[in-house]
């Protein structure tokens, strides 16, 4: 539709207002992540921390754009998840869940915020311990982080999605780890968390995506999950699934009263963005969600697991492909990690040596300018030998 295409053109990064909304959403997402990490302590219930993350995003976005004539949608774009140890993703339990954190747990924290549909997503891996992270846990975090740093340098106008797929698998192999299958990095657009252009993290015969070239003024959520195991996660229990997204292109005349009630509530409160079943009345939700799922009115985000004993790390960031280069707007500094492996591959080192910004107005190469963005700061402090960020504390 040409009208829609025109609207889309107007609402990309060529508009300063759109860039501002992305960066405002990113600032809130980064602060929410910082809050969630600070709340992660042994014996604390996972659901309580997830709720604090979501509440913070709702509160912070609620304070913005309050006095504008046209109502601006804003809030949680993806519910806070804390996936522990060999759990790969999407663990955001219901209020009745008693799961608590333990000393030494490896936590994958995942969340997203939006302002007017412009989404900033972030995921980070944190080990619940004092002192440096060592051994295979350090390897898998370094693998995910280094793969994310390489992806940041390869997701740029003129490059292809397959270039990124090949590179991140090579990085993981350097740490004797695997990139987890089934994880996709998506282009994002206004109110669309999973637009059509996709980076497949692992090439395999079962999953195919269209070849695509990155273009200026696009936005991507680069999503990297690495594992010390096989990288082929499984759904162990459908009852663990609590995050859903309404399938906007599907309709069905639901038979059960509970289903109609729940679907009406979802359509009213969560018409487009993913949501947590925590936000629904628990008993009625259990009944109603089943029929909604059976008729594909909802898209589930299942909780997936690697084998017990496997270590899993997750890094996700949002990047704006600006005319002057890539701007990573969501990130958080890693703990100190001491991997057992080092990256000696010349091709990986060459990727990591690539600049993130193209050229700076006023001449001169961009190195450590005073006003470096978070993404630039992290890139500038990248230790290309072991793939770990040399903890960029000045970001905070």
């Amino acid at each position: 539709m040409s009208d829609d295409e025109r609207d889309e053109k107007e609402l990309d990064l060529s508009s300063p207002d759109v860039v501002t909304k992305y960066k405002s959403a990113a600032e809130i997402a980064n602060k929410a992540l910082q809050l969630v990490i600070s709340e992660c302590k042994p014996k604390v219930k996972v659901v309580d921390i997830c709720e604090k993350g979501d509440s913070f995003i709702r509160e912070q976005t609620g304070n913005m754009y309050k006095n504008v004539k046209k109502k601006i949608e804003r809030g949680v774009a993806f519910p806070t998840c804390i996936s522990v140890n060999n759990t790969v993703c999407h663990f955001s339990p219901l209020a009745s869940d008693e799961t608590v954190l333990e000393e030494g747990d490896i936590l994958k924290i995942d969340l997203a915020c939006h302002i007017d549909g412009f989404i900033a997503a972030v995921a980070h891996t944190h080990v619940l311990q004092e002192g440096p992270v060592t051994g295979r846990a350090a390897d898998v975090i370094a693998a995910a982080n280094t793969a994310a740093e390489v992806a940041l340098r390869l997701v740029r106008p003129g490059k292809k999605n397959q270039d990124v797929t090949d590179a991140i698998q090579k990085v993981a192999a350097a740490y004797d780890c695997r990139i987890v299958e089934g994880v996709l990095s998506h282009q994002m657009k206004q109110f669309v968390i999973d637009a059509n252009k996709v980076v497949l993290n692992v090439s395999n015969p079962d999953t195919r995506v269209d070849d695509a070239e990155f273009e200026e003024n696009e936005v991507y959520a680069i999503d990297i999950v690495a594992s010390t195991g096989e990288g082929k996660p499984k759904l162990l229990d459908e009852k663990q699934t609590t995050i859903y997204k309404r399938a906007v292109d599907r309709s069905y005349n639901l038979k059960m009263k509970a289903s109609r009630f729940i679907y009406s509530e979802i359509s009213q409160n969560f018409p487009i963005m993913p949501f947590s079943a925590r936000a629904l009345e628990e008993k009625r939700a259990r009944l109603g969600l089943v029929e909604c799922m059976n008729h594909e009115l909802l898209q589930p985000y299942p909780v997936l697991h690697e084998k017990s004993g496997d270590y899993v790390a997750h890094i996700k960031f949002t990047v704006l492909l600006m005319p002057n280069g890539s701007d990573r707007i969501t990130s958080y500094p890693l703990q100190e990690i001491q991997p057992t492996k080092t990256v000696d591959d010349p091709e990986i080192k060459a990727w990591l040596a690539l600049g993130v910004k193209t050229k700076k107005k006023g001449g001169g190469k961009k190195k450590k300018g005073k006003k470096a963005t978070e993404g630039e700061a992290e890139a500038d402090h990248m230790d290309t030998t072991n793939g770990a960020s040399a903890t960029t504390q000045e970001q905070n």
Side-chain angles (χ1 to χ4, degrees), residues 354-378:
L354 292 170
V356 177
K357 295 290 185 187
T358 47
K359 57 180 180 288
K360 191 87 171 117
K361 282 177 187 169
K365 274 178 89 176
K366 178 86 184 74
K367 255 302 177 204
K368 294 183 186 174
K370 284 182 186 168
K371 297 214 172 179
T373 62
E374 291 192 16
E376 291 171 82
E378 187 147 336

Side-chain angles (χ1 to χ4, degrees), residues 181-326:
E181 289 184 8
V183 180
L184 304 173
S185 294
H186 284 277
Q187 183 188 7
M188 297 192 293
K189 297 181 179 180
Q190 189 182 26
F191 291 109
V192 184
I193 202 165
D194 49 4
N196 291 340
K197 282 192 184 180
V198 170
V199 178
L200 188 62
N201 284 3
V202 179
S203 302
N204 66 42
D206 303 331
T207 319
R208 297 212 47 84
V209 298
D210 293 336
D211 289 340
E213 187 174 300
F214 305 114
E215 295 175 51
E216 198 173 285
N217 292 328
E218 291 180 339
V219 179
Y220 286 86
I222 302 301
D223 201 353
I224 311 282
V225 184
S227 171
T228 58
E230 292 180 3
K232 297 181 178 180
K234 293 185 169 50
L235 173 66
L236 299 183
D237 182 0
E238 277 186 14
K239 290 197 186 86
Q240 283 191 317
T241 303
T242 61
I243 298 176
Y244 303 89
K245 182 161 76 84
R246 192 171 76 95
V248 292
D249 56 343
R250 303 281 299 187
S251 62
Y252 177 79
N253 195 9
L254 292 161
K255 304 292 184 282
M256 286 169 56
K257 189 177 175 184
S259 308
R260 291 197 299 274
F261 177 86
I262 285 297
Y263 190 67
S264 169
E265 191 180 347
I266 291 165
S267 300
Q268 191 174 336
N269 297 325
F270 311 104
I272 296 172
M273 297 294 180
F275 65 92
S276 164
R278 264 199 317 277
L280 309 170
E281 189 196 319
E282 196 164 322
K283 275 189 182 172
R284 200 177 262 188
R286 280 188 192 282
L287 275 171
L289 287 170
V290 174
E291 192 184 3
C292 291
M293 286 292 300
N294 288 344
H295 297 285
E296 299 179 349
L297 296 179
L298 299 174
Q299 174 193 327
Y301 288 83
V303 179
L304 301 176
H305 303 265
E306 281 278 67
K307 287 180 182 157
S308 181
D310 291 343
Y311 295 119
V312 180
H314 187 187
I315 302 283
K316 184 197 295 182
F317 62 88
T318 301
V319 61
L320 314 182
L321 303 191
M322 302 295 287
N324 67 333
S326 302

